[in-house]
Amino acid sequence: MILFDKVSKRYPGGQEALSMVSFRLEAGEMAFLTGHSGAGKSSLLKLITLIERASAGQIVVNGHNLTRLGRREIPRLRRNIGIIFQDYRLLHDRTVFDNVALPLIVTGLQRRDVARRVRAALDMVGLLNKEKRYPVTLSGGEQQRVGIARAVVHKPPLLLADEPTGNLDPELSREIMTLFELFNQVGVSVLIASHDLELIGSLPYRVLTLEQGRLIHDGGMVGR
Amino acid sequence: MSAAKAPSGRPQGAGATRKGVRRGLKGYLERHLQVLIHALGRLSRNPLSTLMTTAVIGIALALPAGLYLVVDHVRDLGGQWRETTRISLFLKQGLADEEARRLAERLAGEAEVEGTEYVSPAQALEEFREFSGFGEVLDALDGNPLPGLITVQPASSLPPEAIQSLLERLRALPEVDIAQLDMEWVRRLHSLVDLVQRGILVIAILLALAVLLIVGNTLRLDIESRREEIVITKLIGATDGFIRRPFLYTGFWYGLGGALVALLLVNLSLVLLQGPVQRLAGLYGSDFRLGFTSPGMVILLLAAGVMLGLAGALLAVGRHLRDIEPE
């Protein structure tokens, strides 16, 4: 699902965010990406979604070779990826329903199909009764669940999460992780960037550890 | 069995494709309509700023439209008066009635002439006696002092220069003593109208540019205030076209709204001017009145507004949307 082959990312200032990173995430696999802040987690996720482009190396995501992907093809790549942010990034002038519907709207899905799938996604995260609310009236955990519903509503084969529990307390974090496991069980590949080692350690998944831009550990269950 | 199935299967497949295309087209139109209405809804949520922008566009459009209308009316007026311009040919004394009549007939047959009318010296004397009130004076004269007169009505399609040359030609006729045409003012009016029209064109271009910039700038601010929304939709996989659409339609509404305001302003001004103009025309014995904007003008103004709105939006969107990328 994701293939990194000797990928480096150097920013214009000369600072190297990633150097020679290689790994492969299989379809249907769930893994954590960890490391201190500034270790390159966010840079790696940005390369997968083509927010930024690699300076060297090859990246293949869901069959798209990113080095050769033109600007106009980026939307098609992103429609295959569900992205979850630490700060949720919801649109505050739209209802929960409209926020979740957005990925379907951009693909031009017909209205009645949109409603059905939005409700299904909201049901999955347990917010079916709040579809008419505005994001600001929800708690942090609820807002993140709206963000997750938005990320999965169009059934992408790959889910990326950037510190999804960074702003949540341990109990809510557990709930969110359970949701991710649920999606993984139905075949979605999941890559979660997080520095919450305690939470990661309590779960039986592969862990990729970055330090100063290098992949220093790739294996199961750090800290166990 | 498969061979038997194939022929019936093919048209079915084609039908399904056509149906799919139709449904796709319907979905496409539906989406556009949705965005169009959504853009209008968004504008109506900020009524004050929307109204102000629309009013500014409206005034900018109303100015050249109104001026054009006034000049158009003046030109009409000039046209009306030109129909009453006639060339008067005073014939030489002693020219036989018969000869004069033949000349009038010959002139009437020319292409540049719409018609002629001959007034014999005897008729002229009769008319003079009837209308002038100097009948007794005439009785005191022995003989008729008045010359024969042919009035020539130039063809209405004739431009002022051609009328002038027609006049010169008629003046040179041996039967003609004096040829008269007071048309200097018609020519002056025409060149004045041409000049003013050119001026209006310049003003119109400048104001169109202003409308373009107003819409562009308003949308630039709109784009700036929706930066986060644009970033998120881009991250979710929206194409540039999808993101551009609502802004283009907002430009459309601004243009259309501005044109409607302009129509309102122009016609309101016409209503205000109607009374005084009619009084003035009455003093000159004319039944001239101001007409409202013609259907052609309405369509032109609406089209111009919409085009300018869309162009302004394209300008802003092209310049700024590309710069907004997720970081």
Side-chain angles (χ1 to χ4, degrees), chain A residues 93-113:
Chain A
D93 60 343
R94 302 197 193 182
T95 61
V96 166
F97 182 97
D98 288 340
N99 266 284
V100 176
L102 206 56
L104 301 175
I105 302 284
V106 303
T107 62
L109 198 71
Q110 294 222 322
R111 194 179 261 277
R112 55 170 190 278
D113 300 328

Side-chain angles (χ1 to χ4, degrees), chain A residues 46 49 51 71 75 78-79 83 85 89-91 93-94 102-103 105-106 108-111 150 154, chain B residues 23 27 30-31 34 42 226 228-229 231-240 242 322 325-327:
Chain A
K46 282 177 187 170
T49 49
I51 294 171
R71 202 191 114 79
R78 290 188 182 149
R79 287 175 192 180
I83 311 174
F85 308 92
R89 301 192 92 159
L90 303 175
L91 299 179
D93 60 343
R94 302 197 193 182
L102 206 56
I105 302 284
V106 303
L109 198 71
Q110 294 222 322
R111 194 179 261 277
R150 182 182 66 189
H154 54 307
Chain B
R23 194 178 326 135
E30 207 173 85
R31 281 200 298 285
Q34 237 171 332
R42 214 181 167 78
R226 291 168 75 180
E228 176 70 2
E229 181 184 343
V231 167
I232 291 170
T233 17
K234 276 197 175 180
L235 277 175
I236 275 165
T239 56
D240 288 349
F242 180 90
R322 214 167 231 272
E325 282 290 343
E327 284 163 15

Side-chain angles (χ1 to χ4, degrees), chain A residues 58-72:
Chain A
Q58 293 265 337
I59 305 173
V60 180
V61 175
N62 195 28
H64 298 279
N65 187 334
L66 300 199
T67 30
R68 268 178 294 178
L69 210 64
R71 202 191 114 79
R72 298 182 141 274

Side-chain angles (χ1 to χ4, degrees), chain B residues 33-44:
Chain B
L33 198 69
Q34 237 171 332
V35 178
L36 185 70
I37 290 165
H38 193 259
L40 186 64
R42 214 181 167 78
L43 285 173
S44 70

Side-chain angles (χ1 to χ4, degrees), chain B residues 104-294:
Chain B
E105 258 169 58
R106 201 185 72 209
L107 290 178
E110 288 188 19
E112 286 177 317
V113 176
E114 195 157 284
T116 58
E117 195 184 339
Y118 172 62
V119 182
S120 70
Q123 274 172 310
L125 188 67
E126 200 54 44
E127 270 177 36
F128 189 75
R129 191 189 298 281
E130 203 171 312
F131 294 114
S132 69
F134 290 113
E136 291 88 0
V137 180
L138 289 174
D139 288 338
L141 292 171
D142 52 336
N144 185 353
L146 296 175
L149 170 71
I150 298 177
T151 44
V152 176
Q153 169 79 58
S156 60
S157 60
L158 228 50
E161 302 77 44
I163 296 180
Q164 191 65 39
S165 67
L166 176 68
L167 173 69
E168 298 303 333
R169 199 157 54 75
L170 295 178
R171 181 172 285 152
L173 290 173
E175 298 91 337
V176 173
D177 188 14
I178 302 169
Q180 249 184 15
L181 165 73
D182 183 21
M183 65 164 300
E184 218 31 47
W185 70 272
V186 176
R187 281 215 308 209
R188 283 188 193 136
L189 180 71
H190 261 268
S191 43
L192 196 66
V193 165
D194 282 346
L195 179 70
V196 170
Q197 250 175 351
R198 192 61 61 87
I200 289 173
L201 190 69
V202 172
I203 292 173
I205 290 171
L206 288 177
L207 287 171
L209 215 62
V211 170
L212 220 63
L213 294 178
I214 293 162
V215 173
N217 195 50
T218 308
L219 283 177
R220 186 181 61 80
L221 294 175
D222 196 16
I223 289 170
E224 215 42 62
S225 73
R226 291 168 75 180
R227 178 176 271 273
E228 176 70 2
E229 181 184 343
I230 291 166
V231 167
I232 291 170
T233 17
K234 276 197 175 180
L235 277 175
I236 275 165
T239 56
D240 288 349
F242 180 90
I243 292 168
R244 191 163 23 192
R245 228 172 278 153
F247 295 107
L248 289 187
Y249 282 133
T250 307
F252 168 88
W253 286 121
Y254 275 136
L256 188 68
L260 289 174
V261 169
L263 276 176
L264 196 74
L265 288 177
V266 169
N267 283 308
L268 219 60
S269 316
L270 287 173
V271 168
L272 286 177
L273 288 176
Q274 193 68 264
V277 163
Q278 244 166 303
R279 262 198 300 283
L280 185 67
L283 290 177
Y284 281 92
S286 160
D287 60 350
F288 175 76
R289 39 179 36 253
L290 289 170
F292 289 111
T293 45
S294 66

Side-chain angles (χ1 to χ4, degrees), chain A residues 7-8 30-31 39 41 55 60 76 79 97 103 113 119 128 134 160 167 198 211 214:
Chain A
V7 172
S8 297
M30 175 154 159
K41 300 191 298 281
S55 316
V60 180
R76 211 145 42 95
R79 287 175 192 180
F97 182 97
D113 300 328
R119 299 226 164 83
L128 196 50
Y134 284 86
L160 297 180
N167 294 345
E198 205 174 319
E211 196 178 286
R214 292 174 188 282

